[in-house]
Amino acid sequence: MRKQKSAAKSALIVSAIVLIFLLIALLVCYFCTASYYARHFFPGTVLNGVAVDKMTVEEAEDKVAREVADYIFTIKTRDGEKYQIIGPDIDYAYVPGTEIKDILEQQDNYKWLSERKGKKEFDLEVSAAYNEQKLDQKISELECFQPDYIKKPKDAYLQETEVGFELVEAEAGNQLKLAKVQKLAREAVDFGEEELQLTDEVYKQPKVKSDDAHLAEALTEINSYLKTTIKYDVGENGEVLDHQTIKEWITIGDDYSVVFDESKVTNYVQYLASKYNTYGDIREFKTTAGGKVKIGGGDYGWVIDKEKEKAQLLSEIQSGKTIEREPVFNQTAVVKSETYDIGDTYIEVDYTNQHMYYYEKGKLKLETDVVTGNISRNNGSPDGVYKIVYKERDATLVGETYESDVDYFMVFAYNVGFHDADWRNEFGQEIYKTSGSHGCINMPPEKAEELYQILQVGTPVIAYYREPVELTAENAKISNAYSYVNKEREQ
């Protein structure tokens, strides 16, 4: 019985000793491991994405340095293009500091049991050195900075079209500001960033955007002018001024002011005058006695007042309306025609045949032989196309060497007109060549009275010679006679 108790006691002592040794072994193991983690990082430790578990500070720094050496800096344009610059090209290298050591020192190595599992991530403010000049150079060598690649921004502007003007949108282009990109890249690399997204602020912008208020105002103003249409009641078929012509007169200033090129407006008014003025034009006239004559000179016909027409035109263009009117005339004719404006009511004087005719609405109302200016004494009556300027009863005709009283005087040229000549017994034939008047058209009294009663002021007068003559008298000069010859100029 005593032997059994002794054996049991011995076994218990042995067990206690084994347990004590086991505990001692565990403690030694625990403290040895804790000592290990005093110099090494816990499992799962990650520094800036670099796994450094069970590494010393030196080993961790070496691995981080290797990772830093593999640094790649990416630049993204707004068009989605990517450009990369690798660390070695800019001498990018890790600069050791105390941060990794500080992280290890903050590690509680006695908690190694609880820290065996799970990730323990730390963000390092990695200090790195690089060559700024090489970075700037590498950026300048990127494709996006090469001349063949660059598309400069284009300003919005107004463009003439077939119907008017339209807005041409601005183009952003892709031209980068090199110095600005280099500055942003240096700042990004300084902070260890791996990517730089380029935004509009580093791109050169159009000076004039598509939504520019001044441009919009100019376009609105121009389009309002181009709505103007002026329908001229002139000539046989009229003339229309519309946007096709008006748009050619518009100029746009550097400040987007809309200005009319007045020289072009002047040219247009001159065009109207050249086309529709008939004053002094040579007209082909079918004579009563047969045949046609060409007669010009005189003072009859349409005459546009160019200055007043230009002023009115510039004012009306800005209205944006359709306007129907005549040009501004300072002299008019009977018929609106640029080729034959005499009409069917007129006086015809055939100097060669010494006969005159009065037609009213195409019907012959009166005709008579006459005596006209004395050709042999350089008093030939002025030829040309004229109009009756005024009529006068009981007039006194006064010249340098004569004074005559007449009952009826109907003037058509300078001091020259139709009047009764009761001192003559004969009319017609060739009296005018040697014994003609001082220039007036002498008529039998009864014919002069009849003409006076039916003739209206403004009636056209076509007076012509059928053979060449030279008129040198002052009245021929002043009245713009077709056959006037300036002898002084010839000398």
Side-chain angles (χ1 to χ4, degrees):
M1 189 73 176
R2 184 171 298 186
K3 286 182 180 181
Q4 289 179 343
K5 289 181 178 179
S6 179
K9 185 176 180 181
S10 295
L12 184 60
I13 292 171
V14 171
S15 296
I17 292 171
V18 170
L19 181 59
I20 290 170
F21 276 106
L22 182 59
L23 288 173
I24 291 171
L26 289 172
L27 287 173
V28 170
C29 181
Y30 171 79
F31 285 107
C32 285
T33 303
S35 176
Y36 175 82
Y37 283 115
R39 301 185 308 275
H40 297 79
F41 288 101
F42 287 140
T45 301
V46 177
L47 304 179
N48 276 16
V50 179
V52 295
D53 47 318
K54 298 181 180 181
M55 288 186 183
T56 64
V57 169
E58 292 75 13
E59 290 171 337
E61 286 180 343
D62 183 61
K63 188 172 183 180
V64 169
R66 290 197 304 272
E67 291 290 334
V68 168
D70 293 335
Y71 175 74
I72 297 177
F73 182 59
T74 301
I75 296 177
K76 293 182 178 180
T77 69
R78 68 182 177 189
D79 297 325
E81 296 173 331
K82 295 180 181 180
Y83 301 96
Q84 292 184 329
I85 298 174
I86 61 175
D89 286 345
I90 58 174
D91 299 337
Y92 193 89
Y94 173 66
V95 177
T98 63
E99 194 172 6
I100 294 178
K101 180 181 178 183
D102 292 341
I103 292 174
L104 182 62
E105 288 178 349
Q106 293 172 9
Q107 179 177 281
D108 189 348
N109 55 312
Y110 291 104
K111 293 182 178 180
W112 63 269
L113 282 172
S114 60
E115 296 291 342
R116 286 178 304 149
K117 295 182 180 181
K119 272 191 175 183
K120 293 160 279 295
E121 298 188 62
F122 297 89
D123 290 327
L124 301 177
E125 293 185 5
V126 175
S127 295
Y130 67 95
N131 188 312
E132 289 188 355
Q133 289 73 26
K134 287 188 176 182
L135 175 61
D136 287 349
Q137 181 63 30
K138 280 295 179 182
I139 290 174
S140 69
E141 293 173 355
L142 296 178
E143 181 186 4
C144 56
F145 289 103
Q146 305 315 305
D148 291 343
Y149 175 90
I150 294 172
K151 294 180 181 178
K152 293 183 179 181
K154 293 183 180 179
D155 292 345
Y157 65 97
L158 299 182
Q159 174 177 270
E160 184 178 342
T161 66
E162 291 184 1
V163 297
F165 282 79
E166 66 180 6
L167 174 67
V168 178
E169 299 282 341
E171 295 181 16
N174 62 4
Q175 188 173 14
L176 289 158
K177 301 174 184 177
L178 176 59
K180 185 69 174 177
V181 175
Q182 289 171 330
K183 180 176 181 294
L184 292 176
R186 289 195 299 269
E187 291 173 354
V189 174
D190 284 342
F191 284 101
E193 295 176 4
E194 297 181 348
E195 182 177 291
L196 173 62
Q197 176 64 57
L198 302 180
T199 59
D200 287 344
E201 67 174 4
V202 298
Y203 285 86
K204 290 188 177 181
Q205 303 295 322
K207 294 179 180 178
V208 183
K209 304 289 184 65
S210 299
D211 59 355
D212 185 90
H214 298 295
L215 204 59
E217 289 173 7
L219 183 59
T220 299
E221 185 177 358
I222 290 172
N223 285 337
S224 70
Y225 296 156
L226 297 182
K227 291 179 182 177
T228 300
T229 299
I230 299 177
K231 298 179 179 180
Y232 286 105
D233 182 10
V234 64
E236 297 171 3
N237 301 310
E239 186 83 25
V240 177
L241 171 66
D242 59 16
H243 65 275
Q244 293 286 6
T245 301
I246 294 173
K247 69 183 176 66
E248 296 176 358
W249 301 348
I250 293 174
T251 58
I252 303 171
D254 293 337
D255 59 350
Y256 303 110
S257 58
V258 180
V259 180
F260 285 103
D261 185 337
E262 291 200 21
S263 66
K264 293 183 178 179
V265 181
T266 298
N267 290 341
Y268 180 77
V269 174
Q270 181 59 55
Y271 154 77
L272 290 178
S274 298
K275 183 175 181 178
Y276 297 106
N277 281 1
T278 58
Y279 178 93
D281 282 357
I282 296 177
R283 302 165 176 85
E284 188 173 72
F285 180 75
K286 184 177 181 180
T287 69
T288 302
K292 295 179 180 179
V293 296
K294 288 185 177 181
I295 184 67
D299 63 0
Y300 179 82
W302 297 97
V303 179
I304 292 175
D305 189 321
K306 292 186 284 189
E307 289 300 318
K308 290 183 179 179
E309 174 58 34
K310 176 183 175 180
Q312 184 165 336
L313 185 54
L314 284 169
S315 174
E316 290 174 342
I317 287 173
Q318 301 179 46
S319 70
K321 298 178 180 178
T322 297
I323 298 170
E324 297 184 14
R325 67 172 176 87
E326 289 184 338
V328 180
F329 290 108
N330 57 22
Q331 180 174 302
T332 61
V334 174
V335 175
K336 291 177 179 177
S337 171
E338 58 266 38
T339 55
Y340 189 78
D341 55 359
I342 295 171
D344 55 7
T345 297
Y346 56 86
I347 295 176
E348 175 187 349
V349 184
D350 186 338
Y351 289 140
T352 303
N353 291 317
Q354 291 290 285
H355 202 81
M356 67 156 286
Y357 312 86
Y358 171 66
Y359 286 90
E360 186 176 295
K361 295 182 179 179
K363 294 182 179 180
L364 181 63
K365 293 289 187 178
L366 180 152
E367 65 173 309
T368 181
D369 286 336
V370 295
V371 175
T372 62
N374 191 330
I375 289 290
S376 64
R377 294 185 179 180
N378 296 323
N379 287 327
S381 298
D383 55 350
V385 182
Y386 301 91
K387 59 182 177 296
I388 298 298
V389 181
Y390 66 90
K391 302 190 304 180
E392 185 178 0
R393 285 291 310 271
D394 301 325
T396 298
L397 310 182
V398 179
E400 294 181 1
T401 60
Y402 68 92
E403 183 175 311
S404 301
D405 293 326
V406 298
D407 293 332
Y408 306 98
F409 190 35
M410 295 152 278
V411 178
F412 67 88
Y414 177 71
N415 288 337
V416 175
F418 302 93
H419 64 75
D420 51 294
D422 57 7
W423 59 87
R424 290 187 182 278
N425 296 319
E426 293 183 315
F427 294 87
Q429 305 175 45
E430 295 186 350
I431 299 171
Y432 78 104
K433 290 184 177 180
T434 56
S435 186
S437 70
H438 291 89
C440 284
I441 315 302
N442 291 178
M443 300 177 63
E446 67 279 6
K447 292 293 184 178
E449 179 182 6
E450 183 182 353
L451 180 64
Y452 187 90
Q453 298 299 328
I454 60 177
L455 184 64
Q456 299 294 319
V457 172
T459 300
V461 177
I462 303 95
Y464 57 87
Y465 294 91
R466 290 180 179 271
E467 73 281 343
V469 297
E470 291 185 351
L471 305 178
T472 59
E474 186 69 10
N475 62 16
K477 175 182 178 180
I478 295 175
S479 61
N480 190 35
Y482 183 59
S483 298
Y484 171 72
V485 177
N486 189 336
K487 289 294 185 180
E488 294 180 359
R489 182 175 298 176
E490 289 184 353
Q491 293 175 357

